[in-house]
mmCIF file of all heavy atoms in Angstrom:
data_model
loop_
_atom_site.group_PDB
_atom_site.id
_atom_site.type_symbol
_atom_site.label_atom_id
_atom_site.label_comp_id
_atom_site.label_asym_id
_atom_site.label_seq_id
_atom_site.Cartn_x
_atom_site.Cartn_y
_atom_site.Cartn_z
ATOM 1 N N GLN A 64 -2.187 6.911 -18.400
ATOM 2 C CA GLN A 64 -1.563 5.733 -19.012
ATOM 3 C C GLN A 64 -2.533 5.130 -20.020
ATOM 4 O O GLN A 64 -3.617 4.673 -19.668
ATOM 5 C CB GLN A 64 -1.193 4.687 -17.957
ATOM 6 C CG GLN A 64 -0.417 3.507 -18.545
ATOM 7 C CD GLN A 64 -0.039 2.471 -17.512
ATOM 8 O OE1 GLN A 64 -0.786 2.183 -16.581
ATOM 9 N NE2 GLN A 64 1.147 1.892 -17.651
ATOM 10 N N ARG A 82 2.613 23.689 -10.288
ATOM 11 C CA ARG A 82 4.070 23.826 -10.410
ATOM 12 C C ARG A 82 4.563 23.484 -11.808
ATOM 13 O O ARG A 82 5.503 24.102 -12.291
ATOM 14 C CB ARG A 82 4.778 22.964 -9.396
ATOM 15 C CG ARG A 82 6.290 23.019 -9.511
ATOM 16 C CD ARG A 82 6.971 22.460 -8.319
ATOM 17 N NE ARG A 82 7.149 23.468 -7.286
ATOM 18 C CZ ARG A 82 7.887 23.303 -6.201
ATOM 19 N NH1 ARG A 82 8.478 22.146 -5.992
ATOM 20 N NH2 ARG A 82 8.006 24.242 -5.300
ATOM 21 N N GLY A 125 10.118 18.320 -6.664
ATOM 22 C CA GLY A 125 11.470 18.176 -7.162
ATOM 23 C C GLY A 125 11.660 16.789 -7.728
ATOM 24 O O GLY A 125 10.742 16.208 -8.296
ATOM 25 N N ASP A 126 12.859 16.229 -7.547
ATOM 26 C CA ASP A 126 13.101 14.914 -8.119
ATOM 27 C C ASP A 126 13.061 13.818 -7.063
ATOM 28 O O ASP A 126 13.679 12.772 -7.213
ATOM 29 C CB ASP A 126 14.433 14.912 -8.873
ATOM 30 C CG ASP A 126 15.547 15.545 -8.045
ATOM 31 O OD1 ASP A 126 15.378 15.706 -6.828
ATOM 32 O OD2 ASP A 126 16.585 15.873 -8.633
ATOM 33 N N GLN A 127 12.336 14.044 -6.003
ATOM 34 C CA GLN A 127 12.176 13.012 -4.973
ATOM 35 C C GLN A 127 11.329 11.865 -5.485
ATOM 36 O O GLN A 127 10.539 12.038 -6.421
ATOM 37 C CB GLN A 127 11.487 13.608 -3.758
ATOM 38 C CG GLN A 127 12.284 14.685 -3.078
ATOM 39 C CD GLN A 127 11.474 15.288 -1.956
ATOM 40 O OE1 GLN A 127 10.355 15.743 -2.158
ATOM 41 N NE2 GLN A 127 12.017 15.261 -0.769
ATOM 42 N N PRO A 128 11.465 10.691 -4.865
ATOM 43 C CA PRO A 128 10.643 9.551 -5.303
ATOM 44 C C PRO A 128 9.157 9.857 -5.210
ATOM 45 O O PRO A 128 8.682 10.434 -4.232
ATOM 46 C CB PRO A 128 11.030 8.456 -4.303
ATOM 47 C CG PRO A 128 12.375 8.828 -3.824
ATOM 48 C CD PRO A 128 12.414 10.321 -3.813
ATOM 49 N N GLN A 129 8.450 9.460 -6.250
ATOM 50 C CA GLN A 129 7.003 9.610 -6.275
ATOM 51 C C GLN A 129 6.360 8.267 -5.946
ATOM 52 O O GLN A 129 6.811 7.225 -6.418
ATOM 53 C CB GLN A 129 6.541 10.074 -7.655
ATOM 54 C CG GLN A 129 7.056 11.445 -8.031
ATOM 55 C CD GLN A 129 6.640 11.851 -9.427
ATOM 56 O OE1 GLN A 129 5.672 11.327 -9.990
ATOM 57 N NE2 GLN A 129 7.357 12.805 -9.995
ATOM 58 N N PHE A 131 2.817 6.102 -6.122
ATOM 59 C CA PHE A 131 1.622 6.103 -6.957
ATOM 60 C C PHE A 131 0.428 5.446 -6.280
ATOM 61 O O PHE A 131 0.578 4.465 -5.535
ATOM 62 C CB PHE A 131 1.906 5.338 -8.257
ATOM 63 C CG PHE A 131 2.679 6.124 -9.269
ATOM 64 C CD1 PHE A 131 4.029 6.384 -9.079
ATOM 65 C CD2 PHE A 131 2.060 6.610 -10.406
ATOM 66 C CE1 PHE A 131 4.755 7.123 -10.007
ATOM 67 C CE2 PHE A 131 2.774 7.339 -11.343
ATOM 68 C CZ PHE A 131 4.118 7.596 -11.147
ATOM 69 N N THR B 43 19.048 13.715 -12.222
ATOM 70 C CA THR B 43 19.755 13.504 -10.964
ATOM 71 C C THR B 43 19.393 12.178 -10.312
ATOM 72 O O THR B 43 20.181 11.594 -9.592
ATOM 73 C CB THR B 43 19.465 14.636 -9.973
ATOM 74 O OG1 THR B 43 18.058 14.848 -9.918
ATOM 75 C CG2 THR B 43 20.149 15.920 -10.384
ATOM 76 N N TYR B 46 14.869 5.939 -11.664
ATOM 77 C CA TYR B 46 13.980 5.108 -10.862
ATOM 78 C C TYR B 46 13.572 3.849 -11.617
ATOM 79 O O TYR B 46 13.507 3.837 -12.845
ATOM 80 C CB TYR B 46 12.695 5.891 -10.548
ATOM 81 C CG TYR B 46 12.917 7.126 -9.720
ATOM 82 C CD1 TYR B 46 13.190 8.349 -10.317
ATOM 83 C CD2 TYR B 46 12.835 7.070 -8.343
ATOM 84 C CE1 TYR B 46 13.396 9.483 -9.553
ATOM 85 C CE2 TYR B 46 13.029 8.196 -7.574
ATOM 86 C CZ TYR B 46 13.311 9.401 -8.183
ATOM 87 O OH TYR B 46 13.505 10.515 -7.415
ATOM 88 N N TYR B 48 10.241 1.252 -11.418
ATOM 89 C CA TYR B 48 8.918 0.965 -10.884
ATOM 90 C C TYR B 48 8.434 -0.367 -11.441
ATOM 91 O O TYR B 48 8.790 -0.766 -12.548
ATOM 92 C CB TYR B 48 7.915 2.051 -11.299
ATOM 93 C CG TYR B 48 8.043 3.341 -10.545
ATOM 94 C CD1 TYR B 48 8.955 4.311 -10.938
ATOM 95 C CD2 TYR B 48 7.228 3.606 -9.451
ATOM 96 C CE1 TYR B 48 9.060 5.512 -10.247
ATOM 97 C CE2 TYR B 48 7.317 4.811 -8.758
ATOM 98 C CZ TYR B 48 8.232 5.751 -9.163
ATOM 99 O OH TYR B 48 8.321 6.940 -8.477
ATOM 100 N N GLN B 50 4.832 -2.587 -12.208
ATOM 101 C CA GLN B 50 3.381 -2.522 -12.305
ATOM 102 C C GLN B 50 2.816 -3.913 -12.544
ATOM 103 O O GLN B 50 3.085 -4.523 -13.578
ATOM 104 C CB GLN B 50 2.932 -1.579 -13.424
ATOM 105 C CG GLN B 50 1.424 -1.386 -13.462
ATOM 106 C CD GLN B 50 0.974 -0.428 -14.558
ATOM 107 O OE1 GLN B 50 1.623 -0.288 -15.592
ATOM 108 N NE2 GLN B 50 -0.140 0.252 -14.328
ATOM 109 N N LEU B 56 1.772 1.834 -9.956
ATOM 110 C CA LEU B 56 3.214 1.653 -10.068
ATOM 111 C C LEU B 56 3.817 1.622 -8.664
ATOM 112 O O LEU B 56 3.613 2.535 -7.873
ATOM 113 C CB LEU B 56 3.838 2.794 -10.873
ATOM 114 C CG LEU B 56 3.790 2.656 -12.384
ATOM 115 C CD1 LEU B 56 2.388 2.865 -12.909
ATOM 116 C CD2 LEU B 56 4.758 3.625 -13.041
ATOM 117 N N THR B 108 13.491 19.902 -12.773
ATOM 118 C CA THR B 108 13.268 19.686 -11.344
ATOM 119 C C THR B 108 11.880 19.159 -11.042
ATOM 120 O O THR B 108 11.565 18.882 -9.892
ATOM 121 C CB THR B 108 13.467 20.989 -10.562
ATOM 122 O OG1 THR B 108 12.624 21.991 -11.131
ATOM 123 C CG2 THR B 108 14.911 21.444 -10.611
ATOM 124 N N TYR B 109 11.073 18.979 -12.049
ATOM 125 C CA TYR B 109 9.691 18.643 -11.737
ATOM 126 C C TYR B 109 9.202 17.342 -12.342
ATOM 127 O O TYR B 109 8.304 16.718 -11.821
ATOM 128 C CB TYR B 109 8.749 19.749 -12.244
ATOM 129 C CG TYR B 109 9.124 21.116 -11.756
ATOM 130 C CD1 TYR B 109 9.368 22.142 -12.647
ATOM 131 C CD2 TYR B 109 9.225 21.362 -10.405
ATOM 132 C CE1 TYR B 109 9.706 23.397 -12.192
ATOM 133 C CE2 TYR B 109 9.574 22.622 -9.944
ATOM 134 C CZ TYR B 109 9.809 23.634 -10.833
ATOM 135 O OH TYR B 109 10.138 24.869 -10.400
ATOM 136 N N TYR B 111 9.065 13.590 -14.317
ATOM 137 C CA TYR B 111 9.588 12.279 -14.621
ATOM 138 C C TYR B 111 9.297 12.000 -16.096
ATOM 139 O O TYR B 111 8.221 12.304 -16.584
ATOM 140 C CB TYR B 111 8.840 11.189 -13.844
ATOM 141 C CG TYR B 111 9.263 10.909 -12.436
ATOM 142 C CD1 TYR B 111 9.925 11.819 -11.653
ATOM 143 C CD2 TYR B 111 8.952 9.666 -11.875
ATOM 144 C CE1 TYR B 111 10.272 11.521 -10.348
ATOM 145 C CE2 TYR B 111 9.291 9.357 -10.580
ATOM 146 C CZ TYR B 111 9.950 10.293 -9.825
ATOM 147 O OH TYR B 111 10.273 9.986 -8.531
#
Side-chain angles (χ1 to χ4, degrees):
Chain A
Q64 186 180 37
R82 178 165 273 190
D126 47 16
Q127 296 176 305
Q129 296 177 21
F131 282 73
Chain B
T43 49
Y46 297 89
Y48 284 85
Q50 186 179 28
L56 277 72
T108 55
Y109 307 124
Y111 277 23

